Amino acid sequence: MNSPTKPPKKPTAKRPAARRPRQHRPPSKLFMETSAQILRVAGSPMLQSGINDLVYSSGQVGTSAAVEREFENVYIRFMDSVASATRMLAGPSRSQLFEELWPEVEDLLPMFYPGGHKLLQRLTAWMFLKFGGQLVTPTFLLGVLEGHKEDLRAGFLGPVVADKSSCGVWATRGSCDCAPEPGEHCRLKEICVTKRRQFVISARRLADARPRRDESKWLDANFDRLDKARGMALLEILGKHPGPVGDIVIFWEVPDGWTILTRDKTFRILQEALRARLKVYIVRLPRENSGGRCRIRPEAAAGWEEADLLNYTPRGARIRAPTVTLQVDESVILASPKFSEERRGNVIYVDKADRSVVGIKFPYRQP
């Protein structure tokens, strides 16, 4: 007797299998840009650890003359500014709680100083961790600051593997004894004279960058001057305005075949437009793997959609949202048990192989 035929099983929809994150091999040649140098010695413990892991696993580590000069002019001069403010306080016998004395140091800093408020925040946190609740004197603090400065200087990672920027215009802020034309010993002329056109194109690229970079406003306002300047005239403009042009100089100083380690996304903008074969690693906080669920809503929409929270940091998240189509720059709201409240952010990338996987960046301040 034939047994009754069983009805075919109804196919069940399968969720796409989670792709394993790509494992990046450490670079064979790692170029330490200024922001990476500073964060390696003065960033949060998590950032320092992440940078050092990459440094120790890379085949060769180096930097350039422009980075070395910028580190000295930004971080070491910042430490000199704080030390100078400390010297203004009363004599060595004046003993106070650190919490009472340190604000006086901060008040004596000039309105503008190298490195700005972010470096001061990092130094303040480090000092509070070491001396909070203790009685200290200005002389004692001055000794600590001087010792810390030397530790930071010793922590700068070399060797210098490229120098296409040394020139007298940096020290004199615009003048050089090579006038009227750069001399044979001038290294900056390779970037600004021999390859002047690519320097000008780089300036235009950053002037037009969206979102705008710190140097965009100055480069846009002064682009005609840069474009028309030739020879020594261009070098003099750079010497007078090292800040807005510093990243361009460093970018063209990086040797071929090296990977730039930086916190500054300016280098990613220049690399994508002008040196596609150069690699850029952006320093970021380590990502926490989640494996949990979340909800997402485009800011213009009314309803929430279910999604997977793949990984996240305090500044962003990577999710898989198969039921919603998102575009780069779109504003979204993300809710997850991993966050204390709903987080607003912008989509910064959509995975080309799986468009349901998107990256979201959170702003510094939540509205």
Side-chain angles (χ1 to χ4, degrees), residues 31 33 63-67 69-70 161-166 170 187-206 215 219 223 226 234 238 244-258 260 266-280:
F31 180 93
E33 188 268 332
T63 193
S64 73
V67 171
R69 185 168 50 248
E70 197 168 71
V161 295
D163 184 359
K164 299 180 182 178
S165 63
S166 291
W170 304 119
R187 297 182 181 273
L188 184 58
K189 70 177 182 180
E190 180 177 343
I191 293 176
C192 300
V193 178
T194 308
K195 299 179 180 179
R196 191 191 74 86
R197 196 62 206 155
Q198 68 185 19
F199 180 89
V200 172
I201 292 171
S202 305
R204 184 71 267 168
R205 183 73 182 179
L206 292 186
E215 55 266 69
L219 290 171
F223 179 76
L226 293 172
L234 180 57
L238 269 57
V245 300
D247 286 347
I248 301 176
V249 171
I250 292 172
F251 175 74
W252 287 110
E253 200 170 35
V254 180
D256 293 335
W258 287 69
I260 307 173
T266 294
F267 291 91
R268 177 65 56 78
I269 294 170
L270 292 173
Q271 175 261 337
E272 290 176 346
L274 300 166
R275 297 181 71 181
R277 293 185 179 180
L278 202 65
K279 292 182 180 179
V280 176

Side-chain angles (χ1 to χ4, degrees), residues 311-355:
N311 52 54
Y312 64 95
T313 74
R315 292 300 318 282
R318 184 170 174 265
I319 69 166
R320 178 183 286 108
T323 62
V324 61
T325 301
L326 297 170
Q327 306 294 330
V328 172
D329 292 333
E330 187 170 357
S331 297
V332 296
I333 302 173
L334 193 66
S336 166
K338 303 291 183 180
F339 308 133
S340 60
E341 58 184 356
E342 294 175 2
R343 303 298 304 272
R344 283 175 165 79
N346 293 320
V347 176
I348 58 172
Y349 84 90
V350 177
D351 194 300
K352 293 180 181 178
D354 182 357
R355 293 192 62 82

Side-chain angles (χ1 to χ4, degrees), residues 127-235:
M127 296 288 282
F128 264 92
L129 189 64
K130 291 181 71 68
F131 306 113
Q134 298 182 34
L135 290 172
V136 295
T137 66
T139 301
F140 172 79
L141 285 185
L142 185 60
V144 169
L145 292 169
E146 293 290 354
H148 186 51
K149 181 181 75 172
E150 293 310 312
D151 289 343
L152 294 172
R153 183 178 272 141
F156 181 86
L157 274 185
V160 171
V161 295
D163 184 359
K164 299 180 182 178
S165 63
S166 291
C167 179
V169 295
W170 304 119
T172 59
R173 302 286 293 192
S175 62
C176 183
D177 56 12
C178 287
E181 292 301 327
E184 289 298 321
H185 62 284
C186 179
R187 297 182 181 273
L188 184 58
K189 70 177 182 180
E190 180 177 343
I191 293 176
C192 300
V193 178
T194 308
K195 299 179 180 179
R196 191 191 74 86
R197 196 62 206 155
Q198 68 185 19
F199 180 89
V200 172
I201 292 171
S202 305
R204 184 71 267 168
R205 183 73 182 179
L206 292 186
D208 296 336
R210 295 294 183 274
R212 290 172 74 81
R213 310 304 299 160
D214 291 341
E215 55 266 69
S216 295
K217 182 177 180 181
W218 187 92
L219 290 171
D220 192 29
N222 293 273
F223 179 76
D224 286 345
R225 291 176 61 202
L226 293 172
D227 191 29
K228 293 174 182 176
R230 298 290 190 278
M232 198 66 209
L234 180 57
L235 271 61

Side-chain angles (χ1 to χ4, degrees), residues 53-126:
D53 286 346
L54 189 58
V55 165
Y56 299 144
S57 61
S58 298
Q60 184 179 354
V61 178
T63 193
S64 73
V67 171
E68 188 174 45
R69 185 168 50 248
E70 197 168 71
F71 183 86
E72 190 77 19
N73 288 338
V74 174
Y75 206 92
I76 301 304
R77 284 183 58 208
F78 160 73
M79 292 299 301
D80 287 339
S81 297
V82 180
S84 294
T86 306
R87 286 191 190 94
M88 296 180 193
L89 298 175
S93 59
R94 178 189 174 190
S95 182
Q96 282 182 267
L97 281 172
F98 174 81
E99 291 86 347
E100 298 173 355
L101 192 56
W102 187 251
E104 295 187 33
V105 175
E106 294 179 325
D107 288 342
L108 289 170
L109 285 168
M111 183 174 293
F112 302 105
Y113 50 89
H117 188 59
K118 277 193 174 182
L119 289 189
L120 180 61
Q121 282 182 316
R122 293 193 185 109
L123 178 63
T124 298
W126 182 80

